[in-house]
Amino acid sequence: MSQNFLLDAAKKYFTAGIVGLTISDRYASFTAVRGPSMSPTFNPHINSSTRSSFDDYVLVEKFCLDKYKFSRGDVVIFRSPSDYKEKHIKRIVGLPGDWIDLPSLDDTVRIPVGHCWVVGDNSACSLDSRSFGPIPLGLICGRVTHIIWPPHRIGGVNKKTNAFA
């Protein structure tokens, strides 16, 4: 009898694991936001000189990946163009065909088809498109829609679209 119980329990846990994996891969997942590059939108209690063990956790929806439908102001998670194992979270400020002014280089760049321009809300400490250029839309893993932790910060993510400094 205990052998049947163990086999039944293993089948249930395996099925639940497969269903959970499918949901997190295709529809939505949760992830931690670490570091100050998106402050004050995420981790507002962190600045570049302090570190904290408390991260914001966010809901990442993946329906946007079906046809790569994004808007200026969307906060997205994407794989680094230089290291596929790294993921970054930034705000889209430019879409294919847009012109982006780069004051620090005294230049203007046109975003190519199939790419977008992303920047961190805290530009002083953000590794973003100003460092590695426009990112391919295919590197985007999902759009951040809500903060789910800590409890006092639960809510939707603001789609502010002010230009970067």
Side-chain angles (χ1 to χ4, degrees):
M1 179 148 179
S2 68
Q3 190 175 24
N4 284 340
F5 173 76
L6 290 176
L7 185 59
D8 287 342
K11 286 179 186 177
K12 288 178 184 176
Y13 285 117
F14 181 75
T15 301
I18 294 295
V19 169
L21 185 62
T22 300
I23 289 170
S24 72
D25 187 49
R26 297 191 142 268
Y27 304 111
S29 62
F30 304 107
T31 193
V33 179
R34 297 201 163 88
S37 75
M38 284 298 291
S39 184
T41 303
F42 305 113
N43 298 332
H45 54 281
I46 296 178
N47 63 42
S48 56
S49 63
T50 62
R51 289 284 180 235
S52 173
S53 60
F54 301 108
D55 297 319
D56 283 356
Y57 284 81
V58 295
L59 175 66
V60 182
E61 66 93 2
K62 299 179 181 181
F63 294 108
C64 59
L65 301 176
D66 188 31
K67 299 201 192 272
Y68 293 106
K69 296 273 184 180
F70 300 102
S71 302
R72 280 173 213 82
D74 284 349
V75 176
V76 294
I77 293 184
F78 62 96
R79 295 200 178 273
S80 169
S82 58
D83 183 357
Y84 188 73
K85 294 177 184 175
E86 286 182 22
K87 287 185 179 177
H88 298 279
I89 180 169
K90 305 291 180 219
R91 187 177 303 277
I92 293 177
V93 296
L95 296 169
D98 288 353
W99 290 92
I100 300 291
D101 287 325
L102 302 173
S104 61
L105 300 175
D106 198 28
D107 196 10
T108 303
V109 176
R110 187 166 192 179
I111 302 172
V113 173
H115 291 71
C116 65
W117 194 269
V118 296
V119 295
D121 288 355
N122 184 358
S123 60
C125 60
S126 179
L127 182 64
D128 51 36
S129 286
R130 292 170 297 164
S131 303
F132 45 72
I135 63 154
L137 294 175
L139 292 180
I140 296 178
C141 304
R143 176 178 22 231
V144 177
T145 61
H146 291 82
I147 298 171
I148 58 168
W149 190 262
H152 68 279
R153 294 190 24 80
I154 290 174
V157 174
N158 184 359
K159 287 183 77 167
K160 69 180 181 180
T161 57
N162 56 334
F164 59 91

